[in-house]
Amino acid sequence: MKSYRFYIFFVLAFLGGCGHNSDPSSNKDSVESIKNQDPFEPFNRKMFEFNRVLDGLILEPFANVYRNSVHENAQRSISSFLYNLAEPVTLANDFLQAKKDRGFETFSRFMINTTFGLFGLFDVAEKLGLPRHQEDFGQTLGIWGVPSGPYLVLPLIGSSTPTSLVGRTADFYLSPYNYYMVHYKKRQYIYVRLGVETLVRRAQYADDIKNFRENSIDFYAAVRSFYLQNQKAQIQDTTDRESLAPGSDAFNLNDDDADILGEFK
Amino acid sequence: MIKKISLFWILLGLSISSGAASTDGAIQFMQKLGDQVIQTTQTKHGEEKRQALRDIFENSVHHTSIAQFVLGKARRALKFVFKEVDDLEKEKQALAHDVKNSLEEFYKIYKESVTRTYLSSFDRDYKDEVFQATHAKQDGEDGVVVYSTLDRKNGAPPLNLHWVLKSTEGGLKILDLRVEGVSQAEKERDEAASIIRKHKDQCKQDGGKFCDLAALKKLTDDHKTLNDEWKKKIRGEAISVN
């Protein structure tokens, strides 16, 4: 799964996560479906607003400073370094999802970038034809068939589902970086990494987020739709992802406005 | 993304026959469209650039199909407003007139919303970014999905953009854009459903009549407000540049 999808949500609602729709095959047509997926909507909307305020007060201003003051090449290297730190988690999940080829690809990427790429500061592997992808334990649970449960928005954590929360916890323990820091009693560096990563991704997708916000008539509903669709797409990554989104036939409606007006047209 | 000037495309030799869509033609269509957008953003400026992009997008999108998809069941629910009036022919005719006008108004405003969305998303600096339509797949009877990527700056991974196209008498038209697997049309429909539900519930609580119709009007108003705010913002930016 492309990191983009993961991180755009991470920052959109102040920080996504990963979670999965319980029924990836459903092609919802609206109100009933939304009620089913988001039974705690009143609570979620309040948390969403809370996160938006925090984002506006803290994250967005700092992200703007970072974007405007750090050289583009340095931003690219920092981003690449952070992606490299997360490769072991992707590697573990590749194999847990029985994606052996992708697992070996991730392993190669990690080795190449950690050595020739100077601890990941340069994405040498991508230039050698090994593109980056990202997997997490939330996806793994989805692929194993675990239902995601209802959509939740939590303070600071943002968009999530019960499955995604379990996944995030598992990913924490799958990370050698976190293991090392906990083992050597340097937990503060875990928080430093989390903070830096949040800032970098927020800066990286600042324009996309701004556009998304400015072009939504209901920003909460837009983020929820984006998040749930994204999770469905992630689970289906290796199968038939395209079939999840509406195809051209979905736009061929069987009635026209005249049918609606009936005899009164 | 997408837009206008079908005549322009025809002149460019982009003649895509109606009927079953050809995947090669669809790839060509999207590549030329993407190149055109990038070139426009690099060679034109200010209002001239926006107008050129507007032309491209307006001619390339199948607005009515998208608008009807976005309304989904809410559009069909309009049938039921007729049950809320007494069986007076005159009253029902007036209501039918209102429904027809409200739908037409929504399509008109929504067309502007689609253009706004595409313009805001693609009116930016594409320096060092490459758009590439890679392959295509037949989708249903007259549809094609074109797969493309946009290489990005700042270490962001390349963006996967999938375009759902439909072959029409006027050539290929865009129905949907999927960004990393996320359908924009479905996102729009979820937003619309949320707004409609909210206003319909409120209308019912207030003891109102024709709540399906009232909710449609509210949705149209919300889109209109957003479009107006955006136009104001664009004008403000133009003034500050000048």
Side-chain angles (χ1 to χ4, degrees), chain B residues 73-140:
Chain B
K73 284 180 180 166
R75 180 170 151 269
R76 276 165 235 138
L78 291 171
K79 280 182 183 175
F80 300 113
V81 298
F82 294 104
K83 291 184 177 171
E84 295 180 50
V85 291
D86 296 330
D87 196 17
L88 297 172
E89 186 68 14
K90 201 174 164 189
E91 206 174 347
K92 289 196 174 180
Q93 288 294 355
L95 187 58
H97 190 65
D98 198 1
V99 169
K100 185 168 177 280
N101 286 348
S102 299
L103 277 171
E104 283 172 0
E105 176 70 0
F106 177 76
Y107 298 151
K108 187 180 130 201
I109 298 293
Y110 192 71
K111 179 178 179 181
E112 183 67 22
S113 291
V114 173
T115 303
R116 164 179 49 77
T117 304
Y118 279 114
L119 257 175
S120 345
S121 302
F122 293 100
D123 178 12
R124 59 188 183 83
D125 178 17
Y126 285 96
K127 192 179 159 219
D128 299 332
E129 296 188 19
V130 178
F131 174 83
Q132 191 167 17
T134 53
H135 60 289
K137 190 173 93 175
Q138 195 73 32
D139 179 47

Side-chain angles (χ1 to χ4, degrees), chain A residues 5 28-29 41 45 72 204 208 211 214-215 217-218 225 229 245-246 248 252-253 257 264, chain B residues 73 75 92-93 96 107 116 120 139 152 154 166 178 180 183 186 189-191 194 197 233:
Chain A
R5 289 206 299 270
K28 55 190 184 293
D29 182 42
E41 184 173 340
R45 279 190 182 268
E72 238 174 52
Q204 202 164 33
D208 298 310
N211 261 330
E214 289 180 353
N215 285 299
I217 50 171
D218 183 343
S225 177
Q229 284 195 63
S248 62
N252 289 334
L253 303 175
D257 291 350
F264 306 105
Chain B
K73 284 180 180 166
R75 180 170 151 269
K92 289 196 174 180
Q93 288 294 355
Y107 298 151
R116 164 179 49 77
S120 345
D139 179 47
R152 292 152 59 92
N154 296 335
K166 179 185 183 177
R178 300 175 197 157
E180 292 291 342
S183 156
E186 191 163 331
R189 183 165 66 174
D190 288 344
E191 271 190 272
S194 179
R197 184 185 57 170
K233 184 186 153 207

Side-chain angles (χ1 to χ4, degrees), chain A residues 248 251-252, chain B residues 2-3 6-7 9-10 14-22 25-26 29 58-66 138-139 141-144 164-176:
Chain A
S248 62
F251 294 83
N252 289 334
Chain B
I2 292 58
K3 186 105 170 185
S6 54
L7 181 60
W9 292 115
I10 291 165
L14 233 190
S15 53
I16 313 288
S17 61
S18 58
S22 116
F29 172 81
E58 280 184 4
N59 263 0
S60 315
V61 175
H62 205 289
H63 295 94
T64 309
S65 290
I66 300 172
Q138 195 73 32
D139 179 47
E141 201 178 311
D142 53 4
V144 181
V164 182
L165 307 179
K166 179 185 183 177
S167 182
T168 71
E169 286 178 6
L172 285 166
K173 300 281 182 189
I174 292 168
L175 290 172
D176 193 13

